[in-house]
Amino acid sequence: MKPEAVDARVDLHTHSDHSDGTLTPTQLVELAAQRAVQLLALTDHDTTTGCASAAEACRTHGIQFLPSCELSSTWRGRELHIVGLRVAPDTPQLVEHLRSVRALRVARVQAIGERLTRCGLDGAGLIGPVLASPGTPTRLHVARALVAAGVVADVEDAFKGYLGRGQRAAVPPAWPTPEACIEVITRAGGLAVLAHPHRYKLSAGALRELCSQFREHGGAGIEVSLPGMGPADAAQAASLARRCALAGSLGSDFHEPGLPWRPLGRWLKLPDGITPITQLLGFTPAEAPQPA
Ligand code: AMP
Ligand code: MN
Ligand code: MN
Ligand code: MN
């Protein structure tokens, strides 16, 4: 499969400190500018609050910006993520959706705190600062609090021992359905993209069903190129995109500069036979500088 390279750096999946990233939107855009990113989407979990300042910084740096978000969804008892690219943040249905998901998130973190207490830990002390911060509260915040308190060595251990599916302090969430997420994204003028399909531990058959339902309900794309996708994962995502007529999206899922395996800014390289999501977004790359 020959990658189709376009002379543009595009990153359509990134996080700031408005959810579980560590950089402010402005710092994120500065890093994107250093990496010569031409098209950037800020896709914080279940919020668009960082998009105004990211847009402003992108204007300064001449980067094309897409206000976006990554919505949490539950399908057959599993958590799925759906990226909404180029949404209008003020759309009433989207605002209401994000408000209600935030309430679910607060209740979930509180329930996680109670479970941590039952594990003999200071649950209230661990989750207090998570709930006090203005951004979207996530399990990654709780994981970082467990690391800071010396309960676990690193975030990975926090998920393995406490927060991951089936672990001691896990609270299975009941997020909105994929249909509801697609609808709210579409009403906000955005394109719904199934995020990181390789991470769901679904069988090949279940993934095919998911993608065909996703398309039927108005989904526009699927992520086909992300760090951490091995060749087999990438081939499977590409085949799902072709089979279900979904456009291919890509990004870094950047959260923090300390994790070099998710570097901000990617070259747009898609396998043959896939419509780049950038085409649906009307993006045209700037001319690459000619050698002198
Ligand atoms: P939540 O949306 O509250 O369920 O939190 C999930 C977030 O935690 C994801 O967006 C990831 O950034 C992070 N995460 C999930 N699993 C892991 C893991 N095993 N190791 C590190 N981070 C994780
Ligand atoms: Mn995250
Ligand atoms: Mn995700
Ligand atoms: Mn993400």
Side-chain angles (χ1 to χ4, degrees):
M1 219 165 8
K2 182 174 66 64
E4 181 185 307
V6 175
D7 260 342
R9 278 196 180 197
V10 170
D11 199 327
L12 302 182
H13 192 148
T14 68
H15 297 274
S16 77
D17 65 356
H18 285 244
S19 64
D20 57 355
T22 58
L23 300 183
T24 64
T26 306
Q27 290 168 332
L28 177 85
V29 171
E30 278 161 10
L31 187 57
Q34 283 169 27
R35 306 234 168 124
V37 171
Q38 289 186 17
L39 179 69
L40 179 72
L42 178 63
T43 58
D44 274 315
H45 297 287
D46 299 309
T47 188
T48 57
T49 55
C51 290
S53 55
E56 178 68 40
C58 279
R59 273 193 291 275
T60 308
H61 289 282
I63 296 173
Q64 295 185 49
F65 179 69
L66 305 173
S68 305
C69 52
E70 182 175 12
L71 299 185
S72 307
S73 175
T74 303
W75 186 74
R76 297 187 181 171
R78 282 178 198 266
E79 289 182 63
L80 300 182
H81 286 175
I82 299 175
V83 167
L85 291 176
R86 198 204 48 201
V87 291
D90 294 336
T91 309
Q93 291 88 347
L94 178 61
V95 171
E96 173 52 25
H97 180 99
L98 298 179
R99 191 204 55 75
S100 70
V101 170
R102 184 176 170 86
L104 291 175
R105 281 187 166 278
V106 168
R108 185 194 194 193
V109 168
Q110 282 165 339
I112 289 174
E114 283 160 22
R115 292 195 186 196
L116 290 171
T117 302
R118 274 187 249 135
C119 295
L121 301 169
D122 175 16
L126 287 161
I127 65 158
V130 175
L131 294 177
S133 77
T136 301
T138 74
R139 281 182 299 161
L140 186 50
H141 293 92
V142 181
R144 290 186 186 128
L146 286 164
V147 176
V151 175
V152 289
D154 56 30
V155 158
E156 209 50 54
D157 277 355
F159 278 92
K160 276 192 196 134
Y162 292 95
L163 304 170
R165 196 177 154 89
Q167 299 307 314
R168 276 175 286 177
V171 177
W175 305 129
T177 60
E179 298 94 283
C181 294
I182 295 167
E183 176 169 356
V184 82
I185 289 166
T186 309
R187 280 191 178 224
L191 298 178
V193 172
L194 182 65
H196 42 63
H198 60 301
R199 288 202 212 138
Y200 302 131
K201 300 192 174 82
L202 289 167
S203 69
L207 259 181
R208 280 199 296 273
E209 267 184 75
L210 168 64
C211 289
S212 74
Q213 287 179 16
F214 189 79
R215 181 76 178 104
E216 272 167 34
H217 288 116
I222 180 172
E223 289 182 339
V224 297
S225 173
L226 251 87
M229 255 189 185
D233 297 329
Q236 187 180 36
S239 133
L240 288 165
R242 286 191 209 95
R243 181 190 179 103
C244 301
L246 291 164
S249 189
L250 78 174
S252 60
D253 203 5
F254 174 85
H255 282 69
E256 49 190 301
L259 299 181
W261 55 91
R262 282 193 195 168
L264 184 70
R266 309 287 317 283
W267 292 101
L268 177 56
K269 289 196 181 81
L270 293 179
D272 281 341
I274 291 179
T275 306
I277 195 97
T278 46
Q279 196 172 306
L280 305 188
L281 292 161
F283 168 72
T284 39
E287 287 287 311
Q290 296 302 312

